[in-house]
Amino acid sequence: ELRMVAVSSLKTAEPFKGLFEVNAKVLARIVEDMRRSGYDASQPIIVWREEDLVVDGHTRLTAAAQAGLQMIPVVYRS
């Protein structure tokens, strides 16, 4: 189920937060795209329901925050 969630409400932590290095150039391109076009709902952030923790989409989450987006699409999974 896809839900719109406040960027500021999403939590990140190890081990998921540090699994993949964020490429600064890629991040900058994603931020610019989000400023122009908004968030692509076909690429939601994946959150571990039981721990309320982001498991996939850390770069997209960072980009959304930097782009000034308030709400983004999230899918909760067990």
Side-chain angles (χ1 to χ4, degrees), residues 46-64:
I46 307 299
V47 174
W48 182 5
R49 180 187 318 273
E50 290 78 8
E51 299 295 324
D52 196 32
L53 188 64
V54 173
V55 296
D56 183 49
H58 292 84
T59 300
R60 285 170 280 154
L61 176 59
T62 300

Side-chain angles (χ1 to χ4, degrees), residues 28 30-39 63 65-69:
I30 296 170
V31 169
E32 182 56 35
D33 183 65
M34 285 184 182
R35 285 182 178 146
R36 262 193 333 269
S37 306
Y39 195 100
Q66 288 184 15
L69 302 181

